[in-house]
Amino acid sequence: MGLFDRLFGRSSSKLHVAAPVAGQCVPLSEVPDPTFSGEILGPGAAIRPTDGRVCAPVSGTVTTLFPTGHAVALTGENGAEVLVHIGLDTVTLQGSAFTIHAREGQTVREGDLLIEADLEAIRTAGLDPVTPVILCNPDRFQSVTALTGKPVSPGDPILALK
C-alpha cells in the first residue's frame, strides 16, 4: 500500500469476499446445518446455486482443497481466510459429483475456476447443494456484513469487510 493509499484509506486489496458460484445469496441462518447456521466456523453467507462452476471468492492462495472436492479454503491477499463448502453432507459422495481444477498452494485470482460440481448428482443423492461461504478469521476485520437476499454471479460481493 502506498503513502497516498494509507493517507486516504484506500487499500490495494479488495475488502470483500465474492460469490464463488451463481445463485441466490441467502443468510447463513437459512442453511439447515447448525455448524453453518450457528456460525460455529465463522460468519458468512450461503448461495443456493444455479450453476456448478465454483470460482475463487478472493485473490490469494488455495490453502486446503479436500480430495473429495466438496470444499476448499483460501487465504486472500486481503487477509480473509475463506471456506467454500459445496452442499451439505456432500463429503459422503466421495468426490463423485466434483471435478477439481485447482491444487493446494496454487495462487489464484478472484473468479478463477476451482471446482465443478454436478448439482443434479448432488440433488439425486438426496443432498442439499446450498453452498456456505465462511469467513474463518473475522477477528482480523472491524466488521463483516453479509450482502444477502439477491441473485449473484461469481465475482459479485457477498461479504463486505471493513
Side-chain angles (χ1 to χ4, degrees):
M1 187 180 320
L3 174 63
F4 289 111
D5 292 332
R6 282 194 296 266
L7 288 173
F8 297 107
R10 293 181 294 205
S11 172
S12 59
S13 296
K14 296 178 181 178
L15 283 179
H16 72 257
V17 174
V21 65
Q24 182 70 24
C25 189
V26 298
L28 280 183
S29 60
E30 292 185 16
V31 176
D33 181 310
T35 300
F36 297 113
S37 62
E39 297 188 357
I40 292 170
L41 300 175
I47 300 172
R48 297 196 184 283
T50 56
D51 182 68
R53 293 176 52 83
V54 180
C55 301
V58 292
S59 293
T61 304
V62 177
T63 52
T64 305
L65 182 56
F66 289 80
T68 54
H70 78 285
V72 60
L74 302 97
T75 299
E77 293 171 351
N78 62 8
E81 295 175 3
V82 182
L83 171 68
V84 178
H85 196 284
I86 308 161
L88 303 180
D89 297 323
T90 49
V91 68
T92 60
L93 298 174
Q94 300 178 349
S96 66
F98 303 98
T99 303
I100 298 171
H101 294 282
R103 66 184 188 294
E104 283 187 11
Q106 180 178 346
T107 299
V108 295
R109 304 301 313 156
E110 182 182 301
D112 287 352
L113 180 63
L114 302 175
I115 299 167
E116 286 181 282
D118 183 341
L119 299 180
E120 191 55 38
I122 293 169
R123 289 184 186 104
T124 299
L127 302 174
D128 187 341
V130 67
T131 300
V133 181
I134 308 298
L135 180 67
C136 297
N137 64 336
D139 54 326
R140 187 186 188 300
F141 301 93
Q142 290 177 354
S143 66
V144 179
T145 304
L147 308 172
T148 60
K150 61 182 181 175
V152 293
S153 297
D156 291 344
I158 60 167
L159 297 177
L161 310 176
K162 185 175 180 183

